[in-house]
Amino acid sequence: AQKVTQAQTEISVVEKEDVTLDCVYETRDTTYYLFWYKQPPSGELVFLIRRNSFDEQNEISGRYSWNFQKSTSSFNFTITASQVVDSAVYFCALRDRLDYGGSQGNLIFGKGTKLSVKP
Amino acid sequence: DGGITQSPKYLFRKEGQNVTLSCEQNLNHDAMYWYRQDPGQGLRLIYYSQIVNDFQKGDIAEGYSVSREKKESFPLTVTSAQKNPTAFYLCASSIMFGTSGRFHEQYFGPGTRLTVT
């Protein structure tokens, strides 16, 4: 069965520290997509990135970077030089193909990691 | 501006009453979803709809109902049969890859916080 594990429930850092949020996934499919979302205190989930299973290149977007490792089924997210505005709950999610039916390719979310960045 | 709107942001109801949460999108997305979020938990899928007049149960559909009469609207009714309705409800939508039947990432509305006493 598909599963996403975010083992870190809460992380607290001081501004300007680097922080890595871990995500480990399980799927039997060879074609799948991984996502990261940010949920600030306002509640709305903000899409950050989508990565497909055939693209193992790491991605960098400003202070954000993602490390996709198929060998360890991980898709970790690093924030460099963290800022107070980065404080939020971050969710990792998985979607595999429709072929398995049932889920019809819907997203499976981890339980989230709450990041607190203190000034 | 294109986006997803959910209203109201906060909703209070007495136990035993049905309540309908609104979700509207003007993104021309094909699929729409309803999720429930409880404190310290991830999102759990209640219902989803990939085309008008069709919808499917998610993981926790009991005590909920939906309709999809228009592409841009997907209201969720929390019925009195739902044992623990107090939660944060999020609506999302996504667009299909051409005619593949597969969907892009989901975009979320601001959510409705429902409190039932």
Side-chain angles (χ1 to χ4, degrees), chain A residues 91-105:
Chain A
F91 290 97
C92 180
L94 164 72
R95 189 185 79 222
D96 54 27
R97 287 180 298 182
L98 295 174
D99 310 49
Y100 285 161
S103 72
Q104 291 290 309

Side-chain angles (χ1 to χ4, degrees), chain A residues 78-99:
Chain A
T78 297
I79 302 175
T80 303
S82 60
Q83 299 176 1
V84 172
V85 293
D86 296 326
S87 297
V89 180
Y90 291 86
F91 290 97
C92 180
L94 164 72
R95 189 185 79 222
D96 54 27
R97 287 180 298 182
L98 295 174
D99 310 49

Side-chain angles (χ1 to χ4, degrees), chain A residues 57-77:
Chain A
Q57 278 195 329
N58 290 334
E59 177 137 353
I60 298 174
S61 176
R63 296 184 297 107
Y64 294 172
S65 62
W66 290 269
N67 184 353
F68 178 31
Q69 299 267 352
K70 282 179 83 169
S71 59
T72 56
S73 297
S74 65
F75 186 44
N76 297 339
F77 173 32

